[in-house]
Every structure is written in C-alpha cells, then in structure tokens.
Amino acid sequence: MKFLARIKVTLKPTINDPQGKTIAQGLGRLGFDSIESLRAGKYFEVTLEEQDRSVAETKVREMCEKLLANPVIELFSFDLEPVGETAATR
Amino acid sequence: MKFLARIKVTLKPTINDPQGKTIAQGLGRLGFDSIESLRAGKYFEVTLEEQDRSVAETKVREMCEKLLANPVIELFSFDLEPVGETAATR
C-alpha cells in the first residue's frame, strides 16, 4: 500500500528561534502588527510503499528520529494517509 | 481573539526539488528503501491577535503571499485555530 506522510518538524518551545524572529520582524515592517509569535519549522511530504499502516507509521517515525529531525532540539509530528492506486487500478 | 495559524509552504509539483531529492537519497543510504518521493517544504506557526476568524484568515493569506511563500514557485496552505484565553481567564 502506498502512503503519504505529512511531517512537521518544529523547534522545541524552549529553543530560541532566530529565523522565526527575523521573519516576524519582516512581517512587522510590512504592516502586520498583530503577530504575537512566529516559529519557523520544516515540512516534508513523503510517499512510501509499505505493507500496512502500522509498518508505514514505524518507518516514518524512524526517518524522523534518524534524519529529518534533530531530537535534541526539535519535535516532529506527522499524519499518514493512504494514497491513490486502489486494487482496481493496479 | 487569538489564533494559531499552521502554515505549510511547498514547492509546486512541477518545480524541481533538489533538497528533497538529497534527503531521500540520505534516507535510502540509511536503509529506507520504500520511499517513492520526498518533497521538502517550510512550516510556520504564527500566533496573531485579530478581531475574528475571517480577518485572521485574510491576514494569514496576505502574509503568505507577501513574504512566507514565493507564489511563482511555491504553494501554501494553512489552518487556523482559536487559542487559549477564554473570556473567563482575561
């Protein structure tokens, strides 16, 4: 089965985010004066072929822990969705 | 009212994504051999104070169009959620 994982990686709330601060300042200069905070993170869309949802979930978690996120300073979350290719179209 | 916007910015599907390709190769070398595609993007969490949801939505869309995304090569999507601070706690 094919799955699409949508993965968000964010800095832990206690970690300073200079990139986010700079972007918030930039938005402020453009006239957006209602921003209280802005945190910048990463986003990945991964399509993978696994036998079932639980295997896919384990794999995506491992990818995050080993490469996509730095577990010391970052948090990750993802959702998983089966995609296209019903049995009929194979 | 305070809102949290979760914004995803991705490259348009027709745009080449060398960063995503490199990450996919790195995962392949780590033994993840079931990846069919990987696209890298950006993720932002913005907290903003606006009078209602529709104003907040308009503001977030403008932020994306003017600074957070490059509309020539990127797409953006977001969801908006009212946060904390009920009238009672003010």
Side-chain angles (χ1 to χ4, degrees), chain B residues 5-89:
Chain B
R6 295 191 186 85
I7 304 167
K8 298 169 187 172
V9 178
T10 51
L11 287 168
K12 290 185 183 173
T14 50
I15 303 287
N16 201 13
D17 178 12
Q19 187 193 1
K21 285 214 175 90
T22 304
I23 296 170
Q25 282 167 16
L27 287 168
R29 271 193 298 270
L30 288 176
F32 297 100
D33 49 11
S34 59
I35 297 173
E36 300 211 342
S37 81
L38 188 152
R39 305 279 290 173
K42 292 176 284 182
Y43 175 66
F44 303 98
E45 288 184 346
V46 183
T47 313
L48 70 172
E49 175 80 39
E50 297 291 354
Q51 76 196 66
D52 61 38
R53 170 177 285 270
S54 96
V55 177
E57 217 171 287
T58 308
K59 282 288 166 74
V60 173
R61 182 164 295 114
E62 276 180 33
M63 288 178 203
C64 291
E65 286 164 353
K66 290 191 179 167
L67 190 83
L68 300 179
N70 174 350
V72 179
I73 57 166
E74 290 174 328
L75 300 172
F76 64 86
S77 66
F78 62 89
D79 59 64
L80 209 58
E81 188 186 282
V83 281
E85 274 200 313
T86 57
T89 64

Side-chain angles (χ1 to χ4, degrees), chain A residues 10-27:
Chain A
T10 52
L11 286 167
K12 289 183 182 173
T14 52
I15 303 287
N16 201 12
D17 178 12
Q19 188 193 0
K21 285 213 175 90
T22 305
I23 295 170
Q25 284 167 15
L27 287 169

Side-chain angles (χ1 to χ4, degrees), chain A residues 11-78:
Chain A
L11 286 167
K12 289 183 182 173
T14 52
I15 303 287
N16 201 12
D17 178 12
Q19 188 193 0
K21 285 213 175 90
T22 305
I23 295 170
Q25 284 167 15
L27 287 169
R29 271 193 300 269
L30 289 176
F32 297 100
D33 49 12
S34 59
I35 296 173
E36 300 211 341
S37 81
L38 187 153
R39 305 279 290 173
K42 291 175 284 181
Y43 175 67
F44 303 98
E45 288 185 346
V46 183
T47 313
L48 69 173
E49 174 80 37
E50 296 292 354
Q51 77 197 66
D52 60 38
R53 169 177 285 269
S54 96
V55 177
E57 217 171 287
T58 308
K59 282 290 168 73
V60 173
R61 181 163 297 114
E62 277 180 31
M63 287 177 204
C64 291
E65 286 164 354
K66 290 191 180 168
L67 191 83
L68 301 180
N70 175 350
V72 179
I73 57 166
E74 291 174 325
L75 300 172
F76 63 86
S77 66
F78 62 88

